Amino acid sequence: MPDTRKHRGPGPQDPEWFGPGSRPALASAVSDLSWLLSRGYAAPSSLKLVGDRYELVERQRTAVLRSACSDGSLAGRRARQIGVAALRGRPLRIDGFNLILTLESALGGGVIIGGRDGSFRDLASVHGTYRKVEETQPALDLAARLLAAWGAGPCTWLLDAPVSNSGRLAEMVRATRPGWAAEVVPNPDAVLVRPGDLVATADSVILDNCGEWVGLARAVVEAGVPGAFVIDLG
């Protein structure tokens, strides 16, 4: 079936699965999974153990997995994180799909997860094809306004070439703000972990291997989407 969604909004049962009544169990699941990861247990088997213990549905398990991290990862990420106040004048490389999906979800009322490392993450996924939604341009405009206010230097968006429509999104990025660059590359992760680059991402693999990074998605959502459906599982 083709994807005909016009919004990056919540799932029909998200108010129940991520509402106030479910959050203590989700937070405990994140804590338990992080404990297991810190002791070297594999993520898939650990997630099954924790998910079964708390009787979580698949979408909740995805949120728990995206929120948890080992103690070692947490310490490393915190040591290399900077705030938006340190963006002024500095070139920034942006994990394009990682950021745009979170901002689209926040603007569309979708669930935004606050993870153990403080990053904001969404529950959306690309599955090889990116589809523009009604929140796409507002998300780009919001990011442009706030990055300008924070004085960020030249910004380069990195988008995955294997994802369909990445070229169209790159065109939208360039048209949104003069001076923004957008590159469609085979593997953005390999670029984002290069020494010396300041990166904006919430991708766990990148965060564990990059240099300095900024939680841009969280900063933009907190500053520009005050009514976002955010649940803190950290």
Side-chain angles (χ1 to χ4, degrees):
M1 293 290 292
D3 187 349
T4 59
R5 290 173 298 174
K6 296 182 179 179
H7 301 279
R8 202 82 61 195
Q13 292 183 274
D14 281 354
E16 173 190 352
W17 290 340
F18 299 99
S22 69
R23 295 181 190 182
L26 291 170
S28 294
V30 170
S31 178
D32 288 357
L33 180 58
S34 297
W35 187 91
L36 290 167
L37 295 175
S38 298
R39 284 149 184 82
Y41 290 93
S45 56
S46 298
L47 180 62
K48 185 179 188 310
L49 178 66
V50 171
D52 290 350
R53 178 185 181 187
Y54 292 99
E55 299 181 339
L56 304 180
V57 300
E58 192 64 29
R59 191 162 168 83
Q60 291 173 314
R61 295 181 191 219
T62 298
V64 168
L65 181 61
R66 293 186 181 183
S67 301
C69 66
S70 70
D71 292 345
S73 289
L74 179 62
R77 294 174 194 179
R78 284 179 172 171
R80 290 175 281 104
Q81 183 179 13
I82 69 166
V84 293
L87 286 177
R88 187 163 298 277
R90 297 190 61 181
L92 179 65
R93 291 188 175 273
I94 298 172
D95 188 354
F97 282 119
N98 184 270
L99 178 63
I100 194 67
L101 289 171
T102 302
L103 298 186
E104 289 172 346
S105 295
L107 289 168
V111 176
I112 302 298
I113 307 297
R116 189 182 185 214
D117 61 2
S119 296
F120 275 11
R121 299 178 175 92
D122 57 83
L123 292 179
S125 54
V126 173
H127 294 307
T129 300
Y130 172 79
R131 180 182 177 84
K132 174 187 171 186
V133 292
E134 291 187 10
E135 292 80 20
T136 303
Q137 191 59 58
L140 290 172
D141 292 339
L142 178 62
R145 177 171 60 83
L146 290 173
L147 283 168
W150 294 326
C155 294
T156 301
W157 291 62
L158 295 167
L159 301 167
D160 305 64
V163 176
S164 298
N165 298 320
S166 55
R168 294 180 183 178
L169 179 58
E171 292 175 358
M172 291 184 67
V173 168
R174 298 184 195 107
T176 296
R177 182 170 178 80
W180 268 6
E183 299 177 5
V184 179
V185 298
N187 181 15
D189 294 21
V191 181
L192 291 165
V193 299
R194 290 189 324 198
D197 284 342
L198 171 62
V199 305
T201 188
D203 183 284
S204 296
V205 174
I206 298 173
L207 291 179
D208 286 337
N209 293 280
C210 68
E212 286 188 316
W213 66 281
V214 59
L216 186 59
R218 177 171 190 151
V220 172
V221 170
E222 288 184 334
V225 196
F229 186 0
V230 176
I231 65 168
D232 184 1
L233 300 182

